[in-house]
Amino acid sequence: MRVLVTGARGKVGRAVVPALQAADHEVVATDLGEPRYGLPAPGEAPYVKADLTDAGQVYALVGGVADGDGRKAGRFDAVVHAGAIPAPGRHAPHVLFTNNLTATFNVVETCVRWGVPRLVNISSESVIGFLFAERPFDPAYLPLDEAHPVTPQDPYALAKHFGEQVCDAAVRRSDLR
């Protein structure tokens, strides 16, 4: 499979890229950092710098090629979306929220428009709400499971929660899985 990994230089992306390569997938890595010049080192995934909050850059990154009938077909079989500002406290709340939700929306929307069949959205355990809460509270019950109430307070968890809803909506309206 040909797989695009967003946030490839981040905590999750740095682990995902070599894991996919070890499984014999063709990987393209993207993040905000400047590319290294020259050809990729042996075993290093090709890298493209892109700002995921810019819909045009995301659309061009995922891109498309003409198939035998001249129709546009998605270049990637899957996208792993791990690109985000990783936690509250390092950026202003509005910057973190806007970046993370806009990037997720742009990636999901582009996958739908290009017909990418699979998307892995890296969300967060913080969505439940108590990890970065300004007003601490205990979980409703333990052990935590998928049915636990979701009550995010902070901009990071809230953006991740809304990102999950963006993915759910895309699945309902397209063939994206």
Side-chain angles (χ1 to χ4, degrees), residues 9 11 15 22 29-30 32 36 38 41 50 59 72 80 82 89 92 110 142-144 150 152 156 158:
R9 291 185 176 173
K11 183 177 176 182
T30 187
L32 276 173
R36 288 184 217 105
Y59 195 78
K72 291 287 185 175
V80 176
T110 299
L142 294 171
L144 298 175
V150 174
Y156 178 77
L158 189 59

CSV table of all heavy atoms in Angstrom, one decimal, residues 9 11 15 22 29-30 32 36 38 41 50 59 72 80 82 89 92 110 142-144 150 152 156 158:
chain,number,residue,atom,x,y,z
A,9,ARG,N,7.3,13.7,11.9
A,9,ARG,CA,8.4,14.0,12.7
A,9,ARG,C,8.0,14.1,14.2
A,9,ARG,O,8.9,14.4,15.0
A,9,ARG,CB,9.1,15.2,12.3
A,9,ARG,CG,9.8,15.0,10.9
A,9,ARG,CD,10.6,16.2,10.5
A,9,ARG,NE,11.4,16.0,9.3
A,9,ARG,CZ,12.0,16.9,8.6
A,9,ARG,NH1,12.0,18.2,9.1
A,9,ARG,NH2,12.7,16.6,7.5
A,11,LYS,N,5.9,12.6,17.8
A,11,LYS,CA,6.1,11.4,18.7
A,11,LYS,C,5.5,10.1,18.0
A,11,LYS,O,6.1,9.1,18.0
A,11,LYS,CB,5.4,11.7,20.0
A,11,LYS,CG,5.5,10.7,21.0
A,11,LYS,CD,4.8,11.1,22.3
A,11,LYS,CE,4.8,10.1,23.4
A,11,LYS,NZ,4.1,10.5,24.6
A,15,ALA,N,7.2,6.8,15.0
A,15,ALA,CA,7.1,5.4,15.2
A,15,ALA,C,6.3,4.7,14.1
A,15,ALA,O,6.6,3.6,13.7
A,15,ALA,CB,6.4,5.1,16.5
A,22,ALA,N,8.5,-1.4,7.6
A,22,ALA,CA,8.8,-2.7,7.9
A,22,ALA,C,7.8,-3.7,7.5
A,22,ALA,O,8.1,-4.9,7.2
A,22,ALA,CB,9.0,-2.9,9.5
A,29,ALA,N,6.3,10.7,4.0
A,29,ALA,CA,6.2,11.4,5.3
A,29,ALA,C,5.9,12.9,5.0
A,29,ALA,O,6.5,13.5,4.1
A,29,ALA,CB,7.5,11.2,6.1
A,30,THR,N,5.2,13.5,5.9
A,30,THR,CA,5.0,15.0,5.9
A,30,THR,C,4.9,15.6,7.3
A,30,THR,O,4.5,14.9,8.2
A,30,THR,CB,3.7,15.3,5.1
A,30,THR,OG1,3.7,16.8,4.9
A,30,THR,CG2,2.4,14.9,5.7
A,32,LEU,N,5.7,19.8,9.3
A,32,LEU,CA,6.0,21.3,9.1
A,32,LEU,C,7.5,21.6,9.0
A,32,LEU,O,7.8,22.7,8.5
A,32,LEU,CB,5.4,22.1,10.3
A,32,LEU,CG,3.9,22.4,10.2
A,32,LEU,CD1,3.5,23.1,11.5
A,32,LEU,CD2,3.7,23.4,9.0
A,36,ARG,N,15.3,17.8,4.5
A,36,ARG,CA,16.7,17.7,4.3
A,36,ARG,C,17.0,17.7,2.8
A,36,ARG,O,16.2,17.1,2.1
A,36,ARG,CB,17.2,16.4,5.0
A,36,ARG,CG,17.2,16.5,6.5
A,36,ARG,CD,17.8,15.2,7.1
A,36,ARG,NE,17.0,14.9,8.3
A,36,ARG,CZ,16.2,13.9,8.4
A,36,ARG,NH1,16.0,13.1,7.4
A,36,ARG,NH2,15.5,13.7,9.5
A,38,GLY,N,18.8,16.8,-0.7
A,38,GLY,CA,19.4,15.6,-1.3
A,38,GLY,C,18.4,14.4,-1.3
A,38,GLY,O,17.2,14.6,-0.8
A,41,ALA,N,18.0,9.1,2.5
A,41,ALA,CA,19.0,8.0,2.8
A,41,ALA,C,18.3,6.7,2.6
A,41,ALA,O,17.0,6.5,2.6
A,41,ALA,CB,19.4,8.1,4.2
A,50,ALA,N,4.6,20.3,4.6
A,50,ALA,CA,3.2,20.8,4.3
A,50,ALA,C,2.6,21.3,5.6
A,50,ALA,O,2.8,20.8,6.6
A,50,ALA,CB,2.4,19.7,3.7
A,59,TYR,N,-4.6,19.3,-0.2
A,59,TYR,CA,-5.2,18.8,-1.5
A,59,TYR,C,-4.1,18.5,-2.5
A,59,TYR,O,-4.1,17.4,-3.1
A,59,TYR,CB,-6.1,19.9,-2.0
A,59,TYR,CG,-7.0,19.3,-3.1
A,59,TYR,CD1,-8.2,18.6,-2.7
A,59,TYR,CD2,-6.8,19.5,-4.4
A,59,TYR,CE1,-9.0,18.0,-3.7
A,59,TYR,CE2,-7.7,19.0,-5.4
A,59,TYR,CZ,-8.8,18.3,-5.1
A,59,TYR,OH,-9.6,17.8,-6.0
A,72,LYS,N,-9.5,11.2,-12.3
A,72,LYS,CA,-8.5,11.4,-11.2
A,72,LYS,C,-8.8,10.3,-10.2
A,72,LYS,O,-9.9,10.0,-9.8
A,72,LYS,CB,-8.7,12.7,-10.5
A,72,LYS,CG,-8.3,13.9,-11.4
A,72,LYS,CD,-6.8,14.0,-11.5
A,72,LYS,CE,-6.5,15.3,-12.3
A,72,LYS,NZ,-5.0,15.5,-12.3
A,80,VAL,N,-2.4,8.1,7.3
A,80,VAL,CA,-2.3,8.1,8.8
A,80,VAL,C,-2.1,9.5,9.2
A,80,VAL,O,-1.1,10.1,9.0
A,80,VAL,CB,-1.1,7.2,9.3
A,80,VAL,CG1,-1.1,7.3,10.8
A,80,VAL,CG2,-1.3,5.8,8.8
A,82,ALA,N,-1.4,11.9,11.9
A,82,ALA,CA,-0.8,12.1,13.3
A,82,ALA,C,-0.3,13.5,13.5
A,82,ALA,O,0.3,13.8,14.5
A,82,ALA,CB,0.3,11.1,13.5
A,89,GLY,N,-0.6,24.0,26.7
A,89,GLY,CA,0.4,24.6,27.5
A,89,GLY,C,1.6,25.2,26.7
A,89,GLY,O,2.3,26.0,27.2
A,92,ALA,N,-0.9,29.1,22.6
A,92,ALA,CA,-2.1,29.7,23.1
A,92,ALA,C,-3.3,28.8,22.8
A,92,ALA,O,-3.3,28.1,21.7
A,92,ALA,CB,-2.3,31.1,22.4
A,110,THR,N,-9.9,16.1,2.2
A,110,THR,CA,-9.1,15.8,1.1
A,110,THR,C,-9.2,14.3,0.8
A,110,THR,O,-9.3,13.9,-0.4
A,110,THR,CB,-7.7,16.3,1.3
A,110,THR,OG1,-7.7,17.7,1.4
A,110,THR,CG2,-6.8,15.9,0.1
A,142,LEU,N,-14.0,2.9,36.3
A,142,LEU,CA,-12.8,2.3,35.8
A,142,LEU,C,-13.0,0.8,35.7
A,142,LEU,O,-13.8,0.2,36.5
A,142,LEU,CB,-11.6,2.5,36.8
A,142,LEU,CG,-11.1,3.9,36.9
A,142,LEU,CD1,-10.2,4.1,38.1
A,142,LEU,CD2,-10.5,4.4,35.6
A,143,PRO,N,-12.4,0.1,34.8
A,143,PRO,CA,-11.5,0.6,33.8
A,143,PRO,C,-12.3,1.4,32.7
A,143,PRO,O,-13.5,1.1,32.5
A,143,PRO,CB,-10.9,-0.7,33.2
A,143,PRO,CG,-11.9,-1.7,33.4
A,143,PRO,CD,-12.6,-1.4,34.7
A,144,LEU,N,-11.6,2.3,32.1
A,144,LEU,CA,-12.2,3.1,31.0
A,144,LEU,C,-12.4,2.2,29.8
A,144,LEU,O,-11.7,1.2,29.6
A,144,LEU,CB,-11.2,4.2,30.6
A,144,LEU,CG,-10.8,5.2,31.7
A,144,LEU,CD1,-9.8,6.2,31.2
A,144,LEU,CD2,-12.0,5.9,32.2
A,150,VAL,N,-17.8,11.4,27.4
A,150,VAL,CA,-16.8,12.2,26.9
A,150,VAL,C,-17.1,13.7,27.3
A,150,VAL,O,-18.2,14.2,27.0
A,150,VAL,CB,-16.7,12.1,25.3
A,150,VAL,CG1,-15.8,13.1,24.8
A,150,VAL,CG2,-16.4,10.7,24.9
A,152,PRO,N,-14.7,16.7,27.4
A,152,PRO,CA,-13.4,17.5,27.4
A,152,PRO,C,-13.6,18.9,27.8
A,152,PRO,O,-14.7,19.5,27.6
A,152,PRO,CB,-13.0,17.4,25.9
A,152,PRO,CG,-14.3,17.1,25.2
A,152,PRO,CD,-15.2,16.3,26.1
A,156,TYR,N,-7.2,21.1,23.5
A,156,TYR,CA,-6.6,20.0,22.9
A,156,TYR,C,-7.6,18.8,22.8
A,156,TYR,O,-7.9,18.3,21.7
A,156,TYR,CB,-5.3,19.5,23.6
A,156,TYR,CG,-4.7,18.3,23.0
A,156,TYR,CD1,-3.9,18.4,21.9
A,156,TYR,CD2,-4.9,17.0,23.6
A,156,TYR,CE1,-3.4,17.2,21.3
A,156,TYR,CE2,-4.3,15.9,23.1
A,156,TYR,CZ,-3.6,16.0,21.9
A,156,TYR,OH,-3.0,14.9,21.3
A,158,LEU,N,-10.8,18.9,23.2
A,158,LEU,CA,-12.0,19.3,22.5
A,158,LEU,C,-11.8,19.2,21.0
A,158,LEU,O,-12.6,18.7,20.3
A,158,LEU,CB,-12.4,20.7,22.9
A,158,LEU,CG,-13.7,21.2,22.4
A,158,LEU,CD1,-14.9,20.4,22.9
A,158,LEU,CD2,-14.0,22.7,22.8
